[in-house]
Amino acid sequence: MYVADAKRLTAAGARKVMDTALARAREAKLAVTIAIVVAGGHLVLLERMDGGKFHTVHSATTKAVCAASNKRATGSQGAVGQALDTAHALGLALAAGPERWTAMEGGWPIMAGAECIGGVGVAGGNWEFDEKAAREAAESIGK
């Protein structure tokens, strides 16, 4: 087989994911940054809320890219889901590139069935909020 059919994240889908994450941040009274990438890791939407810290732009984008690349939530696990200690997590980030991999929670893959069509990253809240908001946002287009 030389050709495969593939699903893709639309602009409307990316906007729905963004709107859901923004709504969660507003409910929590947090100023966060949300990044949305397509399956290949290319940024399609980015928003830093008023009052959001500028470093969260990079953090959110890296979380989204990492989630799309690994097709799973970000956290301190390696590429195949193995637990990582701090030295290995830092080493993996350096080897993959600090803009491509992170051990920080808050990145979630956007799935269409079993196919990963993108990723969302949330940065600026605590790790629990970032993870929950990213998950809810990613899952919002399936509902």
Side-chain angles (χ1 to χ4, degrees), residues 1-3 19 21 34 39 41 48 51 56-58 63 69-71 76 82 97 99 113 118 121 123 140-141:
M1 180 181 243
Y2 298 109
V3 178
D19 291 345
I34 300 118
R48 181 170 61 93
T56 61
V57 170
H58 181 76
K63 290 176 183 187
S69 178
N70 287 316
K71 300 174 179 65
S76 59
Q82 75 276 25
E99 70 285 348
S140 70
I141 62 170

Side-chain angles (χ1 to χ4, degrees), residues 9-11 13-15 18 35-39 41-46 110 119:
L9 181 63
T10 65
R15 175 51 46 202
M18 176 66 74
I36 300 169
V37 301
V38 294
H42 300 286
L43 187 65
V44 291
L45 280 178
L46 177 74
I110 302 170

Side-chain angles (χ1 to χ4, degrees), residues 54-107:
F54 66 84
H55 76 271
T56 61
V57 170
H58 181 76
S59 298
T61 303
T62 302
K63 290 176 183 187
V65 168
C66 184
S69 178
N70 287 316
K71 300 174 179 65
R72 63 178 170 73
T74 58
S76 59
Q77 296 177 330
V80 293
Q82 75 276 25
L84 298 175
D85 60 27
T86 302
H88 285 97
L90 290 171
L92 184 54
L94 291 171
E99 70 285 348
R100 296 279 178 232
W101 192 87
T102 182
M104 296 185 304
E105 290 83 357

